[in-house]
Amino acid sequence: MKRKAEQFWFVVSIAILLLAMERSVEARRIDLKNVAIIQPAAPESERTAVAARVLKEELEKRIGERVRLTDARPSKGVVFEISVQPADSVSNGATLPERRPEGFRVELKAAGRNVTAVQIVGADKRGALYGVGHVLRAVEWGPRGAWVPSEISTTSAPQYGFRGFQIGYRNTANSWDAWTPEQYEQYIRELVLFGANAIENIPIQDSDPSPHMKLSREEMNVRISRICQDYGIEYWVWVPADFDLADSAKKAEGLELFARFCRNTPYLNGVFVPGGDPGDNHPRLLLPHVRDLATILRQSHPNATVWMSLQGFNREKADYVYTYLETYQPDWFGGVINGPQSPLIQEDRARTPRKYAVRHYPDITHTVRCLYQTPQWDPAFAVTLGREPVNPEPVYYALIHNAFAPFSHGFMAYSDGVHDDVNKVVFSVRAWDPEADVREILRDYTRFFFGSAVSDLAADGILALERNWRGPVATNGSIDATLALWQNLDRMAPENRSNWRWQMCQLRANYDAYVRHRLLYETNLENEANEWLLRAQVTGADSAARMALKILEKATTEPVRPELRARVEQLCDDLFRSIGLQTSVPKYRASGFERGAVLDFVDHPLNNRLWLEDQLAKVRSLTSEAEKIRRLEEIARWENPGEGSFYDDVGNIAKQPHVVTGEGLSTDPMMIRNPNPGFWAWDNNRSTWRPSLSTAMWSGHHQTGWPIALQYTNLDSGATYVLRVTGVGDAFPRANGERLVPTLYGTRLGEFKEFPVPRRLTKGGELRITWDIPDEADVNWRNKSRVSEAWLLKR
């Protein structure tokens, strides 16, 4: 009896403790019932009306009841009071954050016996909106109700004054070309609530029509312009000179098109003219063109400015711009923008006169063949997910922002779809506060979009999606754990299943796991096929080749994890319906295979099957059985050149034992721009070149760089070695600092280059191969030289 009594009182004490904890939590938060918003009287209400409307509409979505707009304080409930500082009290040098441009103060106060007031004081119209954003991001909400935490009070102002995103309404985009104006407004609103203050459209370039557009580009340009004007944020446009400026007729036509655009656009703050990508004009032609654009622009929008980037400029062209600006310092020139293929941002800032600001134009939307490639990425992902998948990389992009922001006054990030949504939020919040903790940013994000019940787990789930992409897929068992986490979240919060942001996370979790299981399975199939090729002397060459092909075909005839494949396809369909995300060219009419078409490559071979099938077909055409057997052995031992010899698939993180690449994620801006090889796609990723899995190559492209080195140890000091490489274009290796002379020099894709290594260089048993980068300053980045595979062969 005594034992049962003890157990009883133990259970009672636990229940009392849990009840006390629950009440303690409730005491630290304010229940959002009987909610009202007080607006100030005119004329101040004109500066708070948008903030009040946004707060009302977003609260109603979360609390499930009507929020009143009133001019008098109610007798009970929660009241939000929005106001704006007098204009003459706001300055950049103000001590209080709420008195600096875009700053705000949020304060929780008791406003009577039964009334709690949340006061939102903005320095200006934007500040009021950002204060509302702070409140909404803190609101805890879900099926059981909604609350404001008692610790919501704060003051804040942004560190960097320009925080924008390019969301151009054009065919190239993978999602928002399917949007209505209402969807555009909602997305712009959400970007603003996380700190954005500028939007950039692409209203003229890219004339290909989109099959998804609800409005013409001219109509949507006007609507986006008015949305930005309504929210009090800046509206910019990207206007490349993608024609020959020496052609007077084409130039006149371009200027007239721009003039008509300016006249038809109700609100406009700035124009960005890229130096290249697209366009190939010398700055002696481009700078006068920018001046002409500025003249036309100010006729309709007298306070707007024109900025220019030095993208694609070689040293002579960049020097021409710096010298011109230093010499003439024209008032019509707005500033310098630093983007892909620009000089280093440090140089842009150092050599641009101080009267002009420098702005960062980061590419946060792509994973490969881009400015900031995904680090330590396995080629199994590169050939399936490709260049523009759902790509939440919060840790990486937080690092990128802080590395380059000190050289700029802010950023306008390049984006071509909703797939990079997390990266947008990270960039905005880090521009507001460079010290913001990444997980806290994600907790705000998941609380705002998914609800507080799952916000912590979902934040960790997004971090886990980023970790899925670090290192070799085959040995990354956490990929399956990430899937399990998101599957559990889906069971916990079924109300989120129609939420497109939720769907994107689910898609990535399922897709990543499917890729991993396929990679393990198909790697084993290739190994088994190679074993059959090595039996050719016993079975006969043709029989061995047939058996190898039959084994390779199991990837299709006996697929692994079909339920994951089906889930991926369903999520792609859900995303097309919910947000217009086009994950397939044939099914959803995506603008191209590089533009987010992940469904089209979900079954892409994850071994060298395409190459093997091509090579085995060629073997069948050989006339001699001995020749066939010899070639089959070469194919089977491609990556295993024999004892004392070495092989590296230099772009494949799982097969590069001798590649020196540096460790981890560096905070050095140079290393951020050069962390990885590029993954190059030919024939829409259907190339039969080897390595057909990775098509991974280090190149002379200044954004991807060449590998630091190949390092070999424990070599036979009495042996002779030959360095063999494949790739495309030129390669100029050095062995222990000495330039090697080739005896074989194929420059076409897949051809061999061979460089004998003088024996005296390996007497010490060690060899370090480095590279002289080819002089290809005027070569388009997609056409630069690259190296793909490397062998050190012992002769």
Short mmCIF file of all heavy atoms in Angstrom, two decimals, residues 52-71:
data_model
loop_
_atom_site.label_atom_id
_atom_site.label_comp_id
_atom_site.label_asym_id
_atom_site.label_seq_id
_atom_site.Cartn_x
_atom_site.Cartn_y
_atom_site.Cartn_z
N ALA A 52 -0.86 49.02 -41.03
CA ALA A 52 -2.06 48.55 -40.33
C ALA A 52 -2.80 47.49 -41.14
O ALA A 52 -3.26 46.48 -40.59
CB ALA A 52 -2.98 49.75 -40.04
N ARG A 53 -2.90 47.72 -42.45
CA ARG A 53 -3.59 46.74 -43.31
C ARG A 53 -2.85 45.40 -43.31
O ARG A 53 -3.48 44.34 -43.21
CB ARG A 53 -3.71 47.30 -44.72
CG ARG A 53 -4.29 46.30 -45.72
CD ARG A 53 -4.62 46.97 -47.05
NE ARG A 53 -3.45 47.50 -47.73
CZ ARG A 53 -2.66 46.79 -48.54
NH1 ARG A 53 -2.91 45.50 -48.74
NH2 ARG A 53 -1.62 47.35 -49.13
N VAL A 54 -1.53 45.45 -43.44
CA VAL A 54 -0.74 44.22 -43.45
C VAL A 54 -0.88 43.48 -42.12
O VAL A 54 -1.09 42.25 -42.08
CB VAL A 54 0.74 44.53 -43.76
CG1 VAL A 54 1.61 43.31 -43.51
CG2 VAL A 54 0.90 45.01 -45.19
N LEU A 55 -0.78 44.21 -41.02
CA LEU A 55 -0.91 43.58 -39.70
C LEU A 55 -2.28 42.94 -39.55
O LEU A 55 -2.40 41.79 -39.08
CB LEU A 55 -0.68 44.62 -38.61
CG LEU A 55 -0.78 44.10 -37.17
CD1 LEU A 55 0.25 43.02 -36.90
CD2 LEU A 55 -0.62 45.26 -36.17
N LYS A 56 -3.32 43.65 -39.95
CA LYS A 56 -4.68 43.13 -39.84
C LYS A 56 -4.84 41.84 -40.64
O LYS A 56 -5.31 40.82 -40.13
CB LYS A 56 -5.67 44.19 -40.34
CG LYS A 56 -7.11 43.70 -40.52
CD LYS A 56 -7.99 44.81 -41.05
CE LYS A 56 -9.32 44.28 -41.58
NZ LYS A 56 -10.13 43.61 -40.54
N GLU A 57 -4.44 41.88 -41.91
CA GLU A 57 -4.65 40.72 -42.79
C GLU A 57 -3.82 39.52 -42.36
O GLU A 57 -4.31 38.37 -42.39
CB GLU A 57 -4.33 41.11 -44.24
CG GLU A 57 -5.32 42.12 -44.81
CD GLU A 57 -4.92 42.63 -46.18
OE1 GLU A 57 -3.85 42.22 -46.69
OE2 GLU A 57 -5.66 43.46 -46.75
N GLU A 58 -2.58 39.75 -41.95
CA GLU A 58 -1.73 38.63 -41.55
C GLU A 58 -2.14 38.05 -40.20
O GLU A 58 -2.06 36.84 -39.99
CB GLU A 58 -0.27 39.06 -41.55
CG GLU A 58 0.28 39.44 -42.92
CD GLU A 58 0.20 38.30 -43.93
OE1 GLU A 58 0.41 37.13 -43.52
OE2 GLU A 58 -0.07 38.57 -45.10
N LEU A 59 -2.61 38.91 -39.27
CA LEU A 59 -3.10 38.39 -38.00
C LEU A 59 -4.36 37.56 -38.21
O LEU A 59 -4.52 36.49 -37.60
CB LEU A 59 -3.40 39.54 -37.03
CG LEU A 59 -2.20 40.15 -36.31
CD1 LEU A 59 -2.65 41.33 -35.46
CD2 LEU A 59 -1.49 39.12 -35.44
N GLU A 60 -5.24 38.02 -39.08
CA GLU A 60 -6.48 37.29 -39.31
C GLU A 60 -6.22 35.89 -39.87
O GLU A 60 -6.94 34.94 -39.54
CB GLU A 60 -7.39 38.09 -40.25
CG GLU A 60 -8.01 39.31 -39.57
CD GLU A 60 -8.82 40.17 -40.51
OE1 GLU A 60 -8.67 40.02 -41.75
OE2 GLU A 60 -9.60 41.01 -40.01
N LYS A 61 -5.19 35.76 -40.69
CA LYS A 61 -4.84 34.44 -41.21
C LYS A 61 -4.41 33.51 -40.09
O LYS A 61 -4.61 32.28 -40.17
CB LYS A 61 -3.70 34.55 -42.23
CG LYS A 61 -4.04 35.30 -43.50
CD LYS A 61 -2.78 35.48 -44.35
CE LYS A 61 -3.05 36.36 -45.55
NZ LYS A 61 -1.80 36.63 -46.33
N ARG A 62 -3.81 34.06 -39.04
CA ARG A 62 -3.21 33.23 -38.01
C ARG A 62 -4.12 33.00 -36.81
O ARG A 62 -4.02 31.96 -36.15
CB ARG A 62 -1.88 33.86 -37.56
CG ARG A 62 -0.80 33.67 -38.61
CD ARG A 62 0.33 34.69 -38.51
NE ARG A 62 1.34 34.39 -39.53
CZ ARG A 62 1.23 34.73 -40.82
NH1 ARG A 62 0.15 35.39 -41.24
NH2 ARG A 62 2.16 34.41 -41.68
N ILE A 63 -5.00 33.97 -36.49
CA ILE A 63 -5.86 33.79 -35.32
C ILE A 63 -7.26 33.33 -35.69
O ILE A 63 -8.04 32.94 -34.81
CB ILE A 63 -5.93 35.10 -34.48
CG1 ILE A 63 -6.64 36.21 -35.25
CG2 ILE A 63 -4.53 35.53 -34.06
CD1 ILE A 63 -6.76 37.50 -34.45
N GLY A 64 -7.59 33.39 -36.98
CA GLY A 64 -8.87 32.85 -37.43
C GLY A 64 -10.08 33.66 -37.03
O GLY A 64 -11.20 33.15 -37.00
N GLU A 65 -9.87 34.92 -36.70
CA GLU A 65 -11.02 35.80 -36.40
C GLU A 65 -10.73 37.21 -36.89
O GLU A 65 -9.59 37.56 -37.19
CB GLU A 65 -11.32 35.81 -34.91
CG GLU A 65 -10.20 36.36 -34.04
CD GLU A 65 -10.57 36.35 -32.56
OE1 GLU A 65 -10.92 35.26 -32.03
OE2 GLU A 65 -10.49 37.43 -31.93
N ARG A 66 -11.78 37.99 -36.96
CA ARG A 66 -11.67 39.33 -37.51
C ARG A 66 -10.91 40.25 -36.55
O ARG A 66 -11.09 40.21 -35.34
CB ARG A 66 -13.07 39.90 -37.77
CG ARG A 66 -13.09 41.28 -38.39
CD ARG A 66 -14.50 41.70 -38.75
NE ARG A 66 -14.55 43.08 -39.18
CZ ARG A 66 -14.72 44.12 -38.36
NH1 ARG A 66 -14.86 43.91 -37.06
NH2 ARG A 66 -14.75 45.34 -38.83
N VAL A 67 -10.03 41.06 -37.12
CA VAL A 67 -9.30 42.08 -36.37
C VAL A 67 -9.88 43.44 -36.73
O VAL A 67 -10.00 43.78 -37.91
CB VAL A 67 -7.79 42.03 -36.69
CG1 VAL A 67 -7.06 43.20 -36.02
CG2 VAL A 67 -7.19 40.71 -36.25
N ARG A 68 -10.23 44.21 -35.71
CA ARG A 68 -10.88 45.50 -35.96
C ARG A 68 -9.84 46.60 -36.18
O ARG A 68 -8.81 46.64 -35.52
CB ARG A 68 -11.75 45.89 -34.76
CG ARG A 68 -13.00 45.02 -34.57
CD ARG A 68 -13.62 45.28 -33.21
NE ARG A 68 -12.78 44.79 -32.13
CZ ARG A 68 -12.69 45.36 -30.94
NH1 ARG A 68 -13.37 46.46 -30.66
NH2 ARG A 68 -11.90 44.83 -30.01
N LEU A 69 -10.15 47.50 -37.10
CA LEU A 69 -9.41 48.75 -37.26
C LEU A 69 -10.24 49.84 -36.61
O LEU A 69 -11.43 50.02 -36.94
CB LEU A 69 -9.18 49.08 -38.73
CG LEU A 69 -8.10 48.30 -39.47
CD1 LEU A 69 -8.07 48.68 -40.94
CD2 LEU A 69 -6.74 48.55 -38.85
N THR A 70 -9.65 50.57 -35.66
CA THR A 70 -10.43 51.55 -34.91
C THR A 70 -9.56 52.77 -34.60
O THR A 70 -8.34 52.72 -34.74
CB THR A 70 -10.96 50.93 -33.61
OG1 THR A 70 -11.70 51.91 -32.89
CG2 THR A 70 -9.81 50.42 -32.74
N ASP A 71 -10.20 53.85 -34.21
CA ASP A 71 -9.45 55.04 -33.79
C ASP A 71 -9.54 55.26 -32.29
O ASP A 71 -9.06 56.27 -31.78
CB ASP A 71 -9.95 56.27 -34.54
CG ASP A 71 -11.45 56.51 -34.35
OD1 ASP A 71 -12.08 55.73 -33.59
OD2 ASP A 71 -11.98 57.45 -34.96
#
